[in-house]
Amino acid sequence: MIKILLTGADGYIGNSFYQLYKNKYNILPIDKSKLINKDIVSCNLLNKKKINKIFSNFKPDVTIHLAAQSLVNDRIPFKKYKVNNIDATKNLINVMKKNNSNNIIFSSTASIYASSDKLLDETSKMQPLSNYAKSKLKCEKIITKSNLKNIIFRFFNACSAVKKYRVGELHKPETHLIPKIVWQVKHNLPVKIYGNKYNTKDGTPIRDYIHIGDICNAINLFVLEIYKKNKSHLVNVGTAKGFSVMEMISHLAKISKKKINIKYLKPRKNEAARLICDNRKIFKTVKWKPYKSTLNQIFKDEIYWVNHLRKKKIKRYLSDY
């Protein structure tokens, strides 16, 4: 059984992957917190001594590095992204080398790309606008230069929930579109749109939304690729379909059969107008397809997750940013 060290295992993608594949692989989940996943070994990646001890004892075949300061908010100083993303990644790589652990899978972001009317492939122009995106691009470069075998994923907009294991987004605060609008509609709150003057068909930003189940399947397929074939890859993970904020809200109104009260606010800083994935490379490499990423499935699973949170009386904190 392949041994996987999973960082950021208490986060959205980390916990989703762990629950889906903990019986397929020997996974050691680590995170600096253990608020959601109680199987986690507490470890801050800034603690070199503790990470080294974990690597020395566990001896992973593959490290899946998902830990990050992931909230996209330029009110957060770059220093915080540097420490939690860049410095933590440097520490991890140094410990991996020290322990002759040579395979790393890293979650980067499509927000490093410049807005484009064309589908974005792995060679498209990069223009990271947010501090988060800048830190992720820096981490990519560090990993690429490390001489470790690596898989770098540029994820487009991860969303929805793993219904079987009742795992979904629960950020504090929540800034992502789908969890915010489903929660707002369920609670009869106005849905906030940040700007409607973008250069798109309806004035709202267009994104490529990908179901968390499809993201976890992509990670799974590349665990085998890096472990068995010993190959490095940089790949986009998305659906090659784009939907505007207004289209997402309209679809939710249709399936919920509710009239949605929309409130327009000032646009966010550093927001690209259009980011849609060219996913031909990932299909060619491992035959991956986004089977779950239809709007109906995305919203169906997110609504299930919201109902679960309400049943458990768990509050979702929404950001006004």
Side-chain angles (χ1 to χ4, degrees), residues 154-194:
R154 289 176 180 164
F155 292 130
F156 282 69
N157 287 52
C159 59
S160 200
V162 180
K163 183 177 178 181
K164 181 178 179 180
Y165 295 104
R166 295 176 180 173
V167 178
E169 293 191 75
L170 195 59
H171 301 112
K172 289 186 179 180
E174 186 57 70
T175 61
H176 295 162
L177 176 71
I178 292 173
K180 286 184 73 172
I181 64 176
V182 171
W183 185 269
Q184 287 163 339
V185 168
K186 276 285 181 180
H187 291 81
N188 298 310
L189 299 170
V191 169
K192 298 174 182 178
I193 294 181
Y194 295 88

Side-chain angles (χ1 to χ4, degrees), residues 1-6 9 13-30 36-40 58 64 162 164-167 216-217 219-220 223:
M1 187 177 282
I2 298 173
K3 296 169 71 174
I4 293 174
L5 182 77
L6 178 66
I13 299 177
N15 193 25
S16 297
F17 181 83
Y18 178 74
Q19 299 302 336
L20 283 167
Y21 294 102
K22 63 184 177 182
N23 295 322
K24 179 174 181 177
Y25 303 112
N26 179 4
I27 303 177
L28 179 63
I30 71 170
I36 300 170
N37 185 344
K38 303 307 178 185
D39 295 339
I40 282 171
F58 185 61
I64 301 176
V162 180
K164 181 178 179 180
Y165 295 104
R166 295 176 180 173
V167 178
C216 290
N217 183 40
I219 298 171
N220 166 54
V223 167

Side-chain angles (χ1 to χ4, degrees), residues 195-317:
N196 61 344
K197 303 294 184 183
Y198 291 90
N199 186 24
T200 61
K201 52 193 171 185
D202 59 24
T204 60
I206 294 172
R207 293 291 183 271
D208 186 328
Y209 296 93
I210 177 166
H211 194 289
I212 184 64
D214 287 328
I215 280 180
C216 290
N217 183 40
I219 298 171
N220 166 54
L221 291 172
F222 276 95
V223 167
L224 302 176
E225 182 75 9
I226 195 171
Y227 179 70
K228 293 185 176 180
K229 297 185 181 180
N230 200 30
K231 290 183 177 180
S232 295
H233 295 283
L234 165 65
V235 290
N236 287 340
V237 186
T239 69
K241 295 179 182 178
F243 298 95
S244 71
V245 170
M246 200 64 236
E247 285 176 323
M248 299 298 282
I249 293 171
S250 297
H251 193 86
L252 179 57
K254 181 180 177 181
I255 62 175
S256 65
K257 298 179 181 178
K258 282 192 174 185
K259 184 177 180 180
I260 297 178
N261 178 22
I262 295 173
K263 183 178 180 181
Y264 290 99
L265 302 176
K266 290 182 179 180
R268 290 169 170 153
K269 291 182 179 179
N270 301 324
E271 187 84 12
R274 188 178 186 273
L275 298 172
I276 306 175
C277 178
D278 182 330
N279 60 12
R280 287 177 293 179
K281 183 175 180 180
I282 189 171
F283 173 74
K284 183 178 179 181
T285 306
V286 293
K287 299 297 185 287
W288 174 92
K289 286 186 177 181
Y291 292 108
K292 289 182 172 290
S293 298
T294 64
L295 291 193
N296 282 342
Q297 190 69 53
I298 285 170
F299 278 113
K300 179 182 176 182
D301 291 346
E302 181 63 27
I303 290 168
Y304 175 88
W305 172 240
V306 167
N307 289 337
H308 170 70
L309 294 178
R310 294 176 75 189
K311 184 178 179 181
K312 294 291 185 179
K313 296 182 180 179
I314 299 171
K315 183 174 175 59
R316 177 172 258 168
Y317 297 89

